[in-house]
Amino acid sequence: MPAKQRYMLIDGNALIHRGYHAIPVLNTKAGEQVNAVYGFTSILLKAIKDIKPTHIACTFDLAGPTFRHKAFDAYKAHRVKADQELYNQIPRVKEVVKTLNIPIYEKEGYEADDLLGTLAKKLYEKTPLAEIIIATGDLDTLQLVNHVIKVYTLRKGITDTAIYDAKAVRERYGLSPHQLIDYRGLKGDPSDNIPGVKGIGEKGASDLIKEFKTLDGL
């Protein structure tokens, strides 16, 4: 009987940011800064060792606005732009990914996690018996979790990791993964500068979704 297929989908930008901030400045002999490259590669190799995937793909953001910026002018407007030293290392990270023969997916107008969601959904529809594990530092992807899709994420630094299945999501939020969309709609998402309902915080949003199940129900 063939081994079960296990797909690992990598959120390239999330892991680059984590690596850059977790590793002190490192330079090559030529003076090129590579701490993000080193951090990303360390996370990637650990994830491969932990997950043991049969298939891997990596997604990246492209420069420029996304469909969210067009829908909401203030999307991420409060964010301070990352250091140029981080952006300078992205081409090197892509070299690492290509050298490992991992295909890269990126699309103008979309973020890396949009592509993760699309890939996960298409793989689930095509191979419903396979395992699909998303490697990221962004917990927004927890809304994708089901009996097949899981999220491998970093809790602290680049070595403290956790895998979220549906049970782990319920233990953390008291909600099913598919309810997290409505939960975030109520409480908002300060990291992306998305306002929620005035006066509703995390606990209030969680309690309301538990009681009414959905925003439509509420």
Side-chain angles (χ1 to χ4, degrees), residues 10 16 46 49 91 97 102 107 126 131 195 198 211:
I10 305 157
I16 288 171
K46 182 180 188 302
K49 182 179 178 182
V97 175
I102 297 171
K107 185 172 176 62
K126 183 179 178 182
E131 279 187 278
K198 189 174 181 180
E211 181 176 354

Side-chain angles (χ1 to χ4, degrees), residues 166 169-180 183 205-207 209-210:
V169 172
R170 284 192 294 270
E171 286 175 352
R172 174 159 182 169
Y173 294 96
L175 301 169
S176 296
H178 71 273
Q179 292 178 304
L180 293 181
Y183 165 74
S206 179
D207 289 345
I209 296 300
K210 284 178 190 174

Side-chain angles (χ1 to χ4, degrees), residues 77-125:
H78 69 309
R79 282 201 186 179
V80 177
K81 190 176 183 229
D83 300 339
Q84 187 58 44
E85 288 80 7
L86 182 152
Y87 291 113
N88 292 344
Q89 296 181 61
I90 293 177
R92 285 286 188 214
V93 169
K94 290 183 178 180
E95 284 183 34
V96 171
V97 175
K98 291 173 182 175
T99 300
L100 292 171
N101 202 30
I102 297 171
I104 290 174
Y105 290 83
E106 47 194 5
K107 185 172 176 62
E108 189 174 334
Y110 294 87
E111 297 180 7
D113 49 6
D114 294 319
L115 302 181
L116 288 173
T118 300
L119 286 169
K121 184 174 185 293
K122 286 185 176 294
L123 287 170
Y124 173 55
E125 291 170 351

Side-chain angles (χ1 to χ4, degrees), residues 1 8 11 80 92 97 100 119 121 127 137 140 143 160 179-180 197 202 205:
M1 188 173 180
M8 184 170 85
D11 186 341
V80 177
R92 285 286 188 214
V97 175
L100 292 171
L119 286 169
K121 184 174 185 293
T127 55
D140 286 350
Q143 65 189 266
D160 185 5
Q179 292 178 304
L180 293 181
V197 176
E202 291 185 5

